[in-house]
Protein backbone atom coordinates (compact mmCIF):
# COMPACT_ATOMS: atom_id res chain seq x y z
CA UNK A 1 0.00 0.00 0.00
CA UNK A 2 2.81 2.42 0.88
CA UNK A 3 4.60 1.69 -2.41
CA UNK A 4 1.33 2.33 -4.28
CA UNK A 5 0.82 5.70 -2.57
CA UNK A 6 4.41 6.74 -3.29
CA UNK A 7 4.03 5.85 -6.97
CA UNK A 8 0.66 7.60 -7.14
CA UNK A 9 2.01 10.89 -5.78
CA UNK A 10 5.14 10.77 -7.95
CA UNK A 11 3.07 10.19 -11.10
CA UNK A 12 0.63 12.95 -10.13
CA UNK A 13 3.49 15.38 -9.51
CA UNK A 14 5.30 14.61 -12.79
CA UNK A 15 2.14 14.86 -14.89
CA UNK A 16 1.15 18.09 -13.16
CA UNK A 17 4.53 19.60 -14.03
CA UNK A 18 4.12 18.43 -17.63
CA UNK A 19 0.72 20.13 -17.76
CA UNK A 20 2.16 23.36 -16.38
CA UNK A 21 5.03 23.44 -18.86
CA UNK A 22 3.22 22.45 -22.07
CA UNK A 23 -0.48 23.21 -21.65
CA UNK A 24 -0.63 26.25 -19.40
CA UNK A 25 -1.57 28.97 -21.91
CA UNK A 26 -3.50 27.35 -24.73
CA UNK A 27 -7.20 27.87 -25.35
CA UNK A 28 -8.31 24.24 -25.76
CA UNK A 29 -10.34 24.46 -22.57
CA UNK A 30 -12.43 21.35 -23.21
CA UNK A 31 -9.35 19.27 -24.03
CA UNK A 32 -7.60 20.70 -20.98
CA UNK A 33 -10.47 19.50 -18.82
CA UNK A 34 -10.15 15.99 -20.23
CA UNK A 35 -6.40 16.15 -19.67
CA UNK A 36 -6.83 17.10 -16.01
CA UNK A 37 -9.23 14.20 -15.50
CA UNK A 38 -6.74 11.96 -17.32
CA UNK A 39 -3.95 13.02 -14.96
CA UNK A 40 -6.03 12.04 -11.93
CA UNK A 41 -7.11 8.71 -13.42
CA UNK A 42 -3.58 7.89 -14.60
CA UNK A 43 -2.10 8.62 -11.19
CA UNK A 44 -4.63 6.35 -9.44
CA UNK A 45 -4.80 3.49 -11.96
CA UNK A 46 -1.36 3.29 -13.55
CA UNK A 47 0.42 1.87 -10.43
CA UNK A 48 -2.20 -0.93 -10.44
CA UNK A 49 -1.60 -1.90 -14.08
CA UNK A 50 0.48 -5.07 -14.04
CA UNK A 51 2.62 -5.75 -17.12
CA UNK A 52 5.29 -7.77 -15.33
CA UNK A 53 4.66 -10.76 -17.59
CA UNK A 54 5.54 -8.74 -20.67
CA UNK A 55 8.58 -7.18 -19.00
CA UNK A 56 9.86 -10.57 -17.84
CA UNK A 57 9.96 -11.73 -21.46
CA UNK A 58 12.02 -8.72 -22.54
CA UNK A 59 15.74 -9.15 -21.93
CA UNK A 60 16.49 -5.45 -21.44
CA UNK A 61 13.64 -4.83 -19.01
CA UNK A 62 14.41 -8.03 -17.14
CA UNK A 63 18.05 -7.00 -16.80
CA UNK A 64 17.00 -3.61 -15.44
CA UNK A 65 14.73 -5.27 -12.90
CA UNK A 66 17.45 -7.69 -11.78
CA UNK A 67 19.96 -4.86 -11.37
CA UNK A 68 17.39 -2.84 -9.42
CA UNK A 69 16.60 -5.82 -7.20
CA UNK A 70 20.27 -6.51 -6.54
CA UNK A 71 21.58 -3.00 -5.87
CA UNK A 72 18.56 -1.09 -4.50
CA UNK A 73 16.17 -3.42 -2.74
CA UNK A 74 18.55 -5.41 -0.45
CA UNK A 75 18.86 -2.52 2.01
CA UNK A 76 17.72 -3.39 5.53
CA UNK A 77 17.69 -0.92 8.38
CA UNK A 78 18.61 -2.78 11.57
CA UNK A 79 16.72 -0.50 13.95
CA UNK A 80 14.12 -1.06 16.62
CA UNK A 81 11.28 0.30 14.50
CA UNK A 82 12.25 -1.92 11.55
CA UNK A 83 12.17 -5.02 13.71
CA UNK A 84 8.90 -4.08 15.37
CA UNK A 85 7.39 -3.21 12.00
CA UNK A 86 7.95 -6.76 10.74
CA UNK A 87 5.83 -8.12 13.54
CA UNK A 88 8.48 -10.04 15.47
CA UNK A 89 8.37 -10.11 19.19
CA UNK A 90 11.31 -8.89 21.22
CA UNK A 91 12.52 -10.20 24.55
CA UNK A 92 13.61 -6.89 26.06
CA UNK A 93 10.81 -4.99 27.80
CA UNK A 94 9.69 -1.91 25.92
CA UNK A 95 11.34 -2.83 22.61
CA UNK A 96 9.34 -1.42 19.72
CA UNK A 97 7.36 1.03 21.86
CA UNK A 98 9.42 3.93 20.53
CA UNK A 99 8.44 2.90 17.01
CA UNK A 100 4.77 2.60 17.94
CA UNK A 101 4.82 6.04 19.54
CA UNK A 102 6.54 7.60 16.54
CA UNK A 103 4.07 6.05 14.11
CA UNK A 104 1.16 7.22 16.26
CA UNK A 105 2.56 10.76 16.24
CA UNK A 106 2.96 10.78 12.45
CA UNK A 107 -0.54 9.36 12.07
CA UNK A 108 -1.94 12.10 14.28
CA UNK A 109 -0.11 14.82 12.34
CA UNK A 110 -1.58 13.42 9.13
CA UNK A 111 -5.13 12.96 10.41
CA UNK A 112 -5.54 16.41 11.98
CA UNK A 113 -5.51 18.31 8.63
CA UNK A 114 -7.57 15.53 7.02
CA UNK A 115 -10.24 15.79 9.73
CA UNK A 116 -10.27 19.59 9.58
CA UNK A 117 -10.60 19.79 5.79
CA UNK A 118 -13.21 17.01 5.72
CA UNK A 119 -15.28 18.82 8.35
CA UNK A 120 -15.00 22.06 6.37
CA UNK A 121 -16.13 20.32 3.18
CA UNK A 122 -19.10 18.68 4.91
CA UNK A 123 -20.07 21.99 6.52
CA UNK A 124 -20.10 23.75 3.14
CA UNK A 125 -22.19 20.98 1.60
CA UNK A 126 -24.62 21.17 4.48
CA UNK A 127 -24.81 24.97 4.19
CA UNK A 128 -25.58 24.78 0.47
CA UNK A 129 -28.39 22.33 1.19
CA UNK A 130 -29.63 24.65 3.95
CA UNK A 131 -29.77 27.77 1.76
CA UNK A 132 -31.32 25.72 -1.03
CA UNK A 133 -34.22 24.92 1.33
CA UNK A 134 -34.47 28.48 2.65
CA UNK A 135 -34.08 30.44 -0.60
CA UNK A 136 -36.99 31.30 -2.86
CA UNK A 137 -37.10 29.33 -6.08
CA UNK A 138 -37.53 31.84 -8.90
CA UNK A 139 -38.00 29.64 -11.94
CA UNK A 140 -36.56 26.60 -13.56
CA UNK A 141 -35.83 24.93 -16.83
CA UNK A 142 -34.78 21.45 -17.86
CA UNK A 143 -32.32 20.11 -15.27
CA UNK A 144 -31.64 23.62 -13.86
CA UNK A 145 -33.22 25.36 -10.86
CA UNK A 146 -32.82 29.07 -9.98
CA UNK A 147 -32.88 30.40 -6.42
CA UNK A 148 -32.96 34.00 -5.18
CA UNK A 149 -30.36 34.61 -2.46
CA UNK A 150 -31.76 36.97 0.20
CA UNK A 151 -28.79 39.36 0.36
CA UNK A 152 -26.07 40.60 -2.03
CA UNK A 153 -23.53 37.91 -2.91
CA UNK A 154 -21.49 36.63 -5.80
CA UNK A 155 -23.63 34.38 -8.05
CA UNK A 156 -22.71 30.72 -7.78
CA UNK A 157 -23.90 27.28 -8.83
CA UNK A 158 -23.67 23.83 -7.31
CA UNK A 159 -24.90 20.75 -9.10
CA UNK A 160 -28.17 21.67 -10.90
CA UNK A 161 -28.81 24.74 -8.70
CA UNK A 162 -28.00 28.37 -9.49
CA UNK A 163 -28.07 30.94 -6.68
CA UNK A 164 -28.02 34.69 -7.33
CA UNK A 165 -29.19 38.04 -5.98
CA UNK A 166 -30.61 39.80 -9.06
CA UNK A 167 -31.36 43.11 -7.35
CA UNK A 168 -29.17 45.87 -8.78
CA UNK A 169 -28.30 43.95 -11.98
CA UNK A 170 -29.22 45.37 -15.35
CA UNK A 171 -30.68 43.14 -18.03
CA UNK A 172 -27.39 42.54 -19.86
CA UNK A 173 -25.49 41.70 -16.67
CA UNK A 174 -28.15 39.24 -15.54
CA UNK A 175 -28.13 37.55 -18.95
CA UNK A 176 -24.33 37.14 -18.89
CA UNK A 177 -24.37 35.80 -15.32
CA UNK A 178 -27.02 33.21 -16.22
CA UNK A 179 -25.10 32.10 -19.32
CA UNK A 180 -21.94 31.75 -17.23
CA UNK A 181 -23.59 29.69 -14.50
CA UNK A 182 -25.60 27.56 -16.93
CA UNK A 183 -22.30 26.56 -18.53
CA UNK A 184 -21.17 25.26 -15.13
CA UNK A 185 -24.41 23.35 -14.55
CA UNK A 186 -24.68 21.78 -17.99
CA UNK A 187 -21.04 20.72 -17.92
CA UNK A 188 -21.37 19.11 -14.47
CA UNK A 189 -18.39 21.13 -13.28
CA UNK A 190 -19.27 20.38 -9.66
CA UNK A 191 -17.83 16.88 -10.12
CA UNK A 192 -14.44 18.34 -11.06
CA UNK A 193 -14.41 20.52 -7.97
CA UNK A 194 -15.40 17.69 -5.62
CA UNK A 195 -12.77 15.36 -7.11
CA UNK A 196 -9.95 17.89 -6.81
CA UNK A 197 -11.01 18.75 -3.26
CA UNK A 198 -11.12 15.08 -2.22
CA UNK A 199 -7.61 14.50 -3.58
CA UNK A 200 -6.40 17.57 -1.66
CA UNK A 201 -7.87 16.17 1.56
CA UNK A 202 -6.20 12.78 1.15
CA UNK A 203 -2.81 14.04 -0.06
CA UNK A 204 -2.73 17.48 1.57
CA UNK A 205 1.05 17.25 2.07
CA UNK A 206 1.73 17.10 -1.69
CA UNK A 207 1.98 20.60 -3.26
CA UNK A 208 1.10 19.17 -6.68
CA UNK A 209 -2.49 18.35 -5.62
CA UNK A 210 -3.10 21.97 -4.62
CA UNK A 211 -1.69 23.16 -7.93
CA UNK A 212 -3.95 20.68 -9.72
CA UNK A 213 -6.99 21.94 -7.80
CA UNK A 214 -6.22 25.53 -8.82
CA UNK A 215 -5.85 24.52 -12.47
CA UNK A 216 -9.15 22.61 -12.34
CA UNK A 217 -11.02 25.57 -10.87
CA UNK A 218 -9.50 28.10 -13.27
CA UNK A 219 -10.12 25.94 -16.34
CA UNK A 220 -13.81 25.60 -15.41
CA UNK A 221 -14.05 29.39 -15.29
CA UNK A 222 -12.32 29.62 -18.67
CA UNK A 223 -14.99 27.29 -20.11
CA UNK A 224 -17.82 29.38 -18.65
CA UNK A 225 -16.22 32.64 -19.77
CA UNK A 226 -15.89 31.20 -23.27
CA UNK A 227 -19.63 30.47 -23.25
CA UNK A 228 -20.29 34.14 -22.48
CA UNK A 229 -17.82 35.23 -25.17
CA UNK A 230 -19.58 32.99 -27.70
CA UNK A 231 -22.89 34.57 -26.73
CA UNK A 232 -21.43 38.06 -27.20
CA UNK A 233 -20.06 36.98 -30.58
CA UNK A 234 -23.54 35.87 -31.57
CA UNK A 235 -24.85 39.28 -30.47
CA UNK A 236 -22.22 40.90 -32.66
CA UNK A 237 -23.28 38.78 -35.63
CA UNK A 238 -26.91 39.74 -35.15
CA UNK A 239 -26.05 43.43 -34.95
CA UNK A 240 -23.70 43.12 -37.91
CA UNK A 241 -26.48 41.69 -40.06
CA UNK A 242 -28.67 44.59 -39.04
CA UNK A 243 -25.85 47.04 -39.77
CA UNK A 244 -25.25 45.54 -43.23
CA UNK A 245 -28.94 45.91 -44.05
CA UNK A 246 -28.83 49.54 -43.02
CA UNK A 247 -25.56 50.24 -44.84
CA UNK A 248 -26.97 48.82 -48.05
CA UNK A 249 -29.38 51.77 -48.09
CA UNK A 250 -26.56 54.33 -47.64
CA UNK A 251 -23.58 55.30 -49.80
CA UNK A 252 -20.27 53.59 -48.99
CA UNK A 253 -18.17 55.37 -46.37
CA UNK A 254 -14.62 56.25 -47.55
CA UNK A 255 -13.30 56.30 -43.97
CA UNK A 256 -13.39 52.55 -43.20
CA UNK A 257 -15.17 49.25 -43.63
CA UNK A 258 -17.77 47.52 -41.50
CA UNK A 259 -15.45 44.71 -40.40
CA UNK A 260 -13.33 47.00 -38.27
CA UNK A 261 -16.42 48.52 -36.68
CA UNK A 262 -17.78 45.04 -35.94
CA UNK A 263 -14.49 44.02 -34.32
CA UNK A 264 -14.64 47.18 -32.20
CA UNK A 265 -18.20 46.30 -31.24
CA UNK A 266 -17.24 42.79 -30.11
CA UNK A 267 -14.22 44.09 -28.19
CA UNK A 268 -16.38 46.62 -26.41
CA UNK A 269 -18.83 43.89 -25.36
CA UNK A 270 -15.99 41.72 -24.02
CA UNK A 271 -14.52 44.65 -22.11
CA UNK A 272 -17.92 45.45 -20.63
CA UNK A 273 -18.17 41.84 -19.41
CA UNK A 274 -14.69 42.04 -17.92
CA UNK A 275 -15.63 45.22 -16.05
CA UNK A 276 -18.66 43.40 -14.66
CA UNK A 277 -16.33 40.65 -13.43
CA UNK A 278 -14.31 43.26 -11.58
CA UNK A 279 -17.49 44.65 -10.08
CA UNK A 280 -18.44 41.23 -8.66
CA UNK A 281 -14.96 40.80 -7.10
CA UNK A 282 -16.02 42.89 -4.10
CA UNK A 283 -18.97 40.62 -3.29
CA UNK A 284 -18.78 37.73 -0.83
CA UNK A 285 -18.50 34.08 -1.87
CA UNK A 286 -21.12 32.03 -0.04
CA UNK A 287 -19.27 28.68 -0.40
CA UNK A 288 -15.82 28.08 -1.84
CA UNK A 289 -16.81 24.54 -2.88
CA UNK A 290 -19.31 25.98 -5.40
CA UNK A 291 -18.74 27.44 -8.87
CA UNK A 292 -18.48 31.12 -7.95
CA UNK A 293 -18.86 33.82 -10.59
CA UNK A 294 -15.93 35.86 -9.26
CA UNK A 295 -13.32 33.14 -8.80
CA UNK A 296 -9.91 34.77 -8.46
CA UNK A 297 -7.47 35.54 -9.97
CA UNK A 298 -9.58 37.66 -12.32
CA UNK A 299 -6.44 38.95 -14.03
CA UNK A 300 -5.70 35.55 -15.53
CA UNK A 301 -9.31 35.12 -16.66
CA UNK A 302 -9.24 38.47 -18.43
CA UNK A 303 -5.92 37.61 -20.06
CA UNK A 304 -7.29 34.28 -21.34
CA UNK A 305 -10.37 36.04 -22.79
CA UNK A 306 -8.11 38.47 -24.67
CA UNK A 307 -5.74 35.71 -25.78
CA UNK A 308 -5.68 34.75 -29.43
CA UNK A 309 -7.17 31.33 -30.09
CA UNK A 310 -4.51 28.62 -30.20
CA UNK A 311 -3.92 27.02 -33.58
CA UNK A 312 -5.24 23.53 -34.13
CA UNK A 313 -1.69 22.36 -34.69
CA UNK A 314 -0.96 23.16 -31.05
CA UNK A 315 -3.14 20.24 -30.03
CA UNK A 316 -0.35 17.87 -31.10
CA UNK A 317 1.52 18.52 -27.87
CA UNK A 318 -1.20 16.68 -25.96
CA UNK A 319 0.07 13.51 -27.63
CA UNK A 320 3.14 13.74 -25.38
CA UNK A 321 0.92 12.51 -22.58
CA UNK A 322 0.94 8.99 -24.10
CA UNK A 323 4.74 8.32 -24.14
CA UNK A 324 5.15 9.92 -20.72
CA UNK A 325 2.43 7.70 -19.27
CA UNK A 326 4.01 4.66 -20.97
CA UNK A 327 7.40 5.51 -19.49
CA UNK A 328 5.87 5.86 -16.01
CA UNK A 329 4.11 2.52 -16.47
CA UNK A 330 7.43 0.89 -17.41
CA UNK A 331 9.22 2.37 -14.39
CA UNK A 332 6.41 1.34 -12.06
CA UNK A 333 6.42 -2.24 -13.27
CA UNK A 334 10.23 -2.51 -13.28
CA UNK A 335 10.07 -1.72 -9.56
CA UNK A 336 7.31 -4.31 -9.04
CA UNK A 337 9.17 -6.92 -11.08
CA UNK A 338 12.34 -6.26 -9.10
CA UNK A 339 10.49 -6.82 -5.85
CA UNK A 340 9.04 -10.04 -7.22
CA UNK A 341 12.53 -11.20 -8.17
CA UNK A 342 13.83 -10.33 -4.70
CA UNK A 343 10.98 -12.19 -2.99
CA UNK A 344 11.22 -15.37 -5.05
CA UNK A 345 12.82 -18.19 -3.09
CA UNK A 346 14.94 -20.35 -5.31
CA UNK A 347 15.10 -24.11 -4.86
CA UNK A 348 18.49 -25.71 -5.62
CA UNK A 349 18.51 -28.45 -8.23
CA UNK A 350 19.78 -31.76 -6.85
CA UNK A 351 21.21 -34.06 -9.49
CA UNK A 352 21.60 -37.80 -8.96
CA UNK A 353 25.14 -38.88 -8.22
CA UNK A 354 25.40 -40.97 -11.36
CA UNK A 355 24.44 -37.98 -13.54
CA UNK A 356 26.94 -35.60 -12.01
CA UNK A 357 29.91 -34.49 -13.98
CA UNK A 358 33.17 -36.16 -13.12
CA UNK A 359 36.23 -33.97 -12.81
CA UNK A 360 39.40 -35.59 -14.14
CA UNK A 361 42.85 -35.11 -12.77
CA UNK A 362 43.76 -32.83 -15.66
CA UNK A 363 40.90 -30.49 -14.87
CA UNK A 364 38.84 -31.35 -17.95
CA UNK A 365 35.13 -32.27 -17.76
CA UNK A 366 33.82 -35.68 -18.84
CA UNK A 367 30.31 -35.35 -20.32
CA UNK A 368 29.92 -39.03 -21.17
CA UNK A 369 27.85 -39.75 -18.07
CA UNK A 370 25.62 -36.68 -18.41
CA UNK A 371 22.62 -38.55 -19.83
CA UNK A 372 19.72 -39.72 -17.71
CA UNK A 373 17.41 -42.61 -18.67
CA UNK A 374 15.13 -40.15 -20.53
CA UNK A 375 18.14 -38.95 -22.59
CA UNK A 376 17.87 -35.45 -21.11
CA UNK A 377 21.17 -33.64 -21.16
CA UNK A 378 21.96 -31.69 -17.98
CA UNK A 379 24.92 -29.36 -18.13
CA UNK A 380 26.54 -28.26 -14.91
CA UNK A 381 29.43 -25.81 -14.70
CA UNK A 382 31.68 -26.79 -11.81
CA UNK A 383 34.04 -24.08 -10.57
CA UNK A 384 37.62 -25.17 -9.95
CA UNK A 385 38.41 -23.33 -6.75
CA UNK A 386 40.04 -25.95 -4.51
CA UNK A 387 43.54 -24.57 -4.96
CA UNK A 388 42.57 -20.85 -4.92
CA UNK A 389 42.93 -19.23 -1.49
CA UNK A 390 42.59 -15.63 -2.64
CA UNK A 391 39.91 -13.34 -1.21
CA UNK A 392 37.85 -11.61 -3.89
CA UNK A 393 35.73 -8.47 -3.50
CA UNK A 394 33.96 -9.07 -6.82
CA UNK A 395 33.08 -12.42 -8.34
CA UNK A 396 31.02 -13.51 -11.32
CA UNK A 397 28.56 -15.52 -9.22
CA UNK A 398 27.77 -13.77 -5.94
CA UNK A 399 27.11 -15.87 -2.84
CA UNK A 400 23.48 -15.90 -1.77
CA UNK A 401 21.70 -16.66 1.47
CA UNK A 402 19.53 -19.79 1.16
CA UNK A 403 16.14 -18.53 0.02
CA UNK A 404 17.39 -15.17 -1.25
CA UNK A 405 17.35 -11.67 0.20
CA UNK A 406 13.77 -12.00 1.48
CA UNK A 407 14.71 -15.04 3.57
CA UNK A 408 17.81 -13.21 4.85
CA UNK A 409 15.73 -10.23 5.99
CA UNK A 410 13.23 -12.54 7.69
CA UNK A 411 16.04 -14.32 9.49
CA UNK A 412 17.49 -11.03 10.74
CA UNK A 413 14.08 -9.76 11.84
CA UNK A 414 13.35 -12.97 13.74
CA UNK A 415 16.69 -13.09 15.51
CA UNK A 416 17.54 -9.45 16.16
CA UNK A 417 17.32 -8.34 19.78
CA UNK A 418 17.61 -4.59 19.97
CA UNK A 419 20.05 -3.90 22.84
CA UNK A 420 18.50 -2.35 25.90
CA UNK A 421 21.56 -0.15 26.37
CA UNK A 422 20.84 1.41 22.98
CA UNK A 423 17.10 1.71 23.60
CA UNK A 424 17.45 3.52 26.92
CA UNK A 425 19.60 6.29 25.41
CA UNK A 426 17.97 6.47 21.98
CA UNK A 427 21.01 5.15 20.13
CA UNK A 428 20.29 3.84 16.63
CA UNK A 429 22.11 3.67 13.35
CA UNK A 430 23.15 1.60 10.39
CA UNK A 431 25.76 -0.96 11.43
CA UNK A 432 28.32 -1.97 8.80
CA UNK A 433 29.42 -5.58 9.24
CA UNK A 434 32.33 -7.02 7.28
CA UNK A 435 32.88 -10.75 6.79
CA UNK A 436 34.36 -13.28 4.38
CA UNK A 437 32.29 -15.97 2.67
CA UNK A 438 34.37 -19.14 2.59
CA UNK A 439 34.36 -21.76 -0.16
CA UNK A 440 31.80 -23.88 1.67
CA UNK A 441 29.48 -20.92 2.29
CA UNK A 442 30.37 -20.35 5.95
CA UNK A 443 31.33 -16.92 7.25
CA UNK A 444 34.58 -15.90 8.87
CA UNK A 445 36.30 -12.73 10.13
CA UNK A 446 32.97 -11.19 11.16
CA UNK A 447 33.51 -7.66 12.40
CA UNK A 448 31.24 -4.61 12.87
CA UNK A 449 33.34 -1.68 11.66
CA UNK A 450 31.19 1.39 12.24
CA UNK A 451 27.71 2.72 13.03
CA UNK A 452 26.25 5.53 10.88
CA UNK A 453 23.70 7.95 12.35
CA UNK A 454 20.50 7.74 10.21
CA UNK A 455 19.81 11.48 10.48
CA UNK A 456 23.21 13.15 10.06
CA UNK A 457 24.91 10.42 8.04
CA UNK A 458 27.97 10.72 10.28
CA UNK A 459 29.70 7.89 12.09
CA UNK A 460 28.66 7.59 15.72
CA UNK A 461 31.69 8.02 17.99
CA UNK A 462 32.88 5.57 20.57
CA UNK A 463 34.00 6.70 24.01
CA UNK A 464 34.69 10.33 23.23
CA UNK A 465 33.49 13.56 24.80
CA UNK A 466 34.07 16.91 23.12
CA UNK A 467 33.48 20.42 24.39
CA UNK A 468 34.44 23.43 22.30
CA UNK A 469 34.65 26.12 24.95
CA UNK A 470 35.00 24.47 28.32
CA UNK A 471 35.65 21.26 30.13
CA UNK A 472 32.75 18.80 29.85
CA UNK A 473 30.46 18.56 32.82
CA UNK A 474 29.99 15.26 34.67
CA UNK A 475 26.54 15.02 33.12
CA UNK A 476 27.97 15.32 29.61
CA UNK A 477 30.57 12.69 30.42
CA UNK A 478 27.86 10.36 31.73
CA UNK A 479 25.67 10.83 28.65
CA UNK A 480 28.64 10.26 26.33
CA UNK A 481 29.59 7.11 28.22
CA UNK A 482 26.09 5.67 27.96
CA UNK A 483 25.83 6.51 24.25
CA UNK A 484 29.19 4.87 23.64
CA UNK A 485 27.88 1.78 25.42
CA UNK A 486 24.84 1.87 23.13
CA UNK A 487 27.02 2.06 20.03
CA UNK A 488 29.11 -0.83 21.31
CA UNK A 489 25.96 -2.83 22.02
CA UNK A 490 24.67 -2.21 18.47
CA UNK A 491 27.92 -3.53 17.00
CA UNK A 492 27.92 -6.57 19.26
CA UNK A 493 24.29 -7.41 18.40
CA UNK A 494 24.92 -7.04 14.66
CA UNK A 495 27.93 -9.36 14.89
CA UNK A 496 25.92 -11.86 16.90
CA UNK A 497 23.07 -12.04 14.38
CA UNK A 498 25.46 -12.40 11.44
CA UNK A 499 27.30 -15.18 13.25
Amino acid sequence: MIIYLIKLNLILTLLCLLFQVLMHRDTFFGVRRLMLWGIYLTAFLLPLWDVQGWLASDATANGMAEAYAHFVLPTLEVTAERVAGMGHRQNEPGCGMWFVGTMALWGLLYLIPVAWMTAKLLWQLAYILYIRCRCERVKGEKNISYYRYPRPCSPFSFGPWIFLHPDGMDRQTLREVLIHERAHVRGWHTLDILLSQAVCIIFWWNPAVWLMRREVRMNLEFIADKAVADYLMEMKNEESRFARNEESKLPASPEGDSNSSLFTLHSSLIKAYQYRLLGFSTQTNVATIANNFNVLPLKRRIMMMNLKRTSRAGMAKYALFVPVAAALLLISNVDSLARTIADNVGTPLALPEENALVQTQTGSLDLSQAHDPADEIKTVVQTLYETDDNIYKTVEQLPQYPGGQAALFQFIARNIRYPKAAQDWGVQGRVFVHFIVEKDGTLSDISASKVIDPESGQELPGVRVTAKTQKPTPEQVEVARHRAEGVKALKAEAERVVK
Side-chain angles (χ1 to χ4, degrees):
M1 185 63 179
I2 295 178
I3 299 298
Y4 168 76
L5 294 177
I6 293 175
K7 291 181 180 180
L8 187 155
N9 281 273
L10 288 177
I11 293 172
L12 186 64
T13 301
L14 292 175
L15 294 181
C16 178
L17 293 177
L18 178 66
F19 180 88
Q20 287 291 313
V21 172
L22 299 179
M23 310 160 190
H24 187 63
R25 290 185 59 82
D26 60 45
T27 58
F28 303 120
F29 303 130
V31 179
R32 282 159 58 99
R33 185 188 181 193
L34 294 178
M35 180 61 65
L36 290 168
W37 271 92
I39 290 175
Y40 281 123
L41 294 178
T42 302
F44 278 91
L45 299 181
L46 192 143
L48 301 177
W49 193 355
D50 187 2
V51 292
Q52 294 185 44
W54 175 77
L55 290 178
S57 62
D58 184 78
T60 303
N62 202 36
M64 292 171 56
E66 290 180 353
Y68 184 89
H70 180 72
F71 293 105
V72 179
L73 296 183
T75 300
L76 177 64
E77 293 287 346
V78 185
T79 56
E81 59 269 28
R82 170 67 181 177
V83 176
M86 298 188 71
H88 297 290
R89 191 173 180 179
Q90 301 295 294
N91 293 333
E92 291 84 351
C95 184
M97 293 305 295
W98 181 88
F99 168 73
V100 174
T102 302
M103 292 301 296
L105 178 61
W106 281 110
L108 184 63
L109 292 177
Y110 168 77
L111 291 176
I112 288 177
V114 170
W116 179 77
M117 289 188 289
T118 303
K120 184 178 179 181
L121 174 62
L122 295 177
W123 182 88
Q124 293 190 39
L125 294 175
Y127 186 71
I128 291 176
L129 293 175
Y130 169 76
I131 62 176
R132 187 260 184 195
C133 297
R134 297 296 299 270
C135 290
E136 174 190 359
R137 182 172 180 177
V138 180
K139 62 175 183 177
E141 56 186 80
K142 185 177 180 181
N143 300 328
I144 302 178
S145 301
Y146 300 90
Y147 295 88
R148 179 191 294 271
Y149 199 73
R151 55 184 180 272
C153 71
S154 173
F156 67 96
S157 61
F158 185 84
W161 310 324
I162 296 178
F163 301 85
L164 70 162
H165 185 76
D167 299 348
M169 294 185 190
D170 58 60
R171 190 178 188 86
Q172 180 65 17
T173 301
L174 181 60
R175 186 180 294 111
E176 292 173 355
V177 168
L178 292 179
I179 292 173
H180 184 278
E181 297 303 327
R182 279 200 292 260
H184 284 311
V185 173
R186 289 169 178 167
W188 287 95
H189 293 176
T190 302
L191 296 179
D192 302 59
I193 295 177
L194 292 177
L195 172 66
S196 61
Q197 186 65 30
V199 175
C200 283
I201 292 176
I202 299 174
F203 306 113
W204 57 264
W205 43 269
N206 187 352
V209 302
W210 297 97
L211 185 60
M212 284 288 295
R213 188 186 75 157
R214 188 191 70 175
E215 290 299 325
V216 168
R217 298 291 298 269
M218 290 302 303
N219 191 66
L220 297 179
E221 295 306 315
F222 296 156
I223 294 175
D225 289 337
K226 183 178 181 298
V228 178
D230 293 341
Y231 159 75
L232 296 177
M233 178 65 74
E234 183 64 26
M235 282 186 58
K236 181 207 73 170
N237 293 335
E238 291 292 336
E239 295 188 14
S240 67
R241 284 193 290 268
F242 175 78
R244 281 195 295 269
N245 293 334
E246 293 297 322
E247 288 177 357
S248 64
K249 304 175 184 178
L250 301 173
S253 173
E255 300 179 356
D257 58 349
S258 60
N259 289 333
S260 61
S261 62
L262 294 178
F263 177 79
T264 304
L265 173 63
H266 181 242
S267 300
S268 63
L269 292 175
I270 291 293
K271 287 183 179 179
Y273 173 66
Q274 293 170 354
Y275 279 120
R276 294 186 185 98
L277 284 178
L278 294 174
F280 279 104
S281 64
T282 59
Q283 297 186 0
T284 306
N285 290 333
V286 176
T288 57
I289 196 64
N291 295 290
N292 290 281
F293 186 76
N294 65 338
V295 170
L296 297 177
L298 290 177
K299 178 180 178 181
R300 186 177 172 192
R301 290 174 61 182
I302 293 174
M303 290 175 59
M304 294 300 289
M305 278 188 279
N306 296 332
L307 198 65
K308 183 179 178 181
R309 296 300 181 207
T310 307
S311 173
R312 290 285 182 180
M315 196 174 293
K317 62 187 177 183
Y318 285 87
L320 291 175
F321 179 82
V322 176
V324 171
L328 293 174
L329 176 65
L330 175 64
I331 295 173
S332 174
N333 279 270
V334 163
D335 175 80
S336 301
L337 180 60
R339 296 180 185 278
T340 302
I341 293 174
D343 291 339
N344 285 337
V345 179
T347 302
L349 175 64
L351 297 177
E353 184 67 24
E354 62 273 17
N355 293 332
L357 299 181
V358 180
Q359 180 184 356
T360 63
Q361 293 181 355
T362 61
S364 61
L365 297 179
D366 182 12
L367 300 179
S368 60
Q369 302 297 325
H371 298 274
D372 60 9
D375 294 328
E376 295 181 359
I377 301 177
K378 298 180 180 179
T379 304
V380 177
V381 178
Q382 184 176 14
T383 305
L384 303 177
Y385 61 87
E386 284 78 0
T387 60
D388 188 359
D389 293 326
N390 295 326
I391 298 177
Y392 296 96
K393 292 185 178 181
T394 303
V395 292
E396 182 177 355
Q397 181 64 40
L398 292 174
Q400 186 180 31
Y401 185 84
Q405 295 289 348
L408 174 62
F409 291 170
Q410 293 173 4
F411 174 85
I412 294 176
R414 284 195 302 268
N415 292 275
I416 195 75
R417 298 293 178 264
Y418 207 84
K420 192 173 185 306
Q423 295 180 47
D424 293 341
W425 292 92
V427 180
Q428 63 175 352
R430 177 174 295 179
V431 184
F432 284 78
V433 182
H434 297 268
F435 52 84
I436 298 175
V437 182
E438 300 291 346
K439 298 174 184 179
D440 58 355
T442 60
L443 305 186
S444 64
D445 295 343
I446 301 172
S447 174
S449 59
K450 58 183 177 180
V451 181
I452 301 298
D453 188 285
E455 297 180 357
S456 64
Q458 301 296 322
E459 181 178 356
L460 293 177
V463 182
R464 185 178 65 184
V465 181
T466 59
K468 295 182 179 180
T469 59
Q470 59 184 357
K471 183 179 179 180
T473 63
E475 291 78 9
Q476 291 176 330
V477 174
E478 185 70 12
V479 170
R481 185 177 65 82
H482 285 294
R483 290 187 60 83
E485 292 177 356
V487 172
K488 183 179 179 181
L490 287 181
K491 291 183 178 181
E493 177 62 14
E495 291 179 358
R496 184 193 68 81
V497 173
V498 174
K499 291 178 181 180

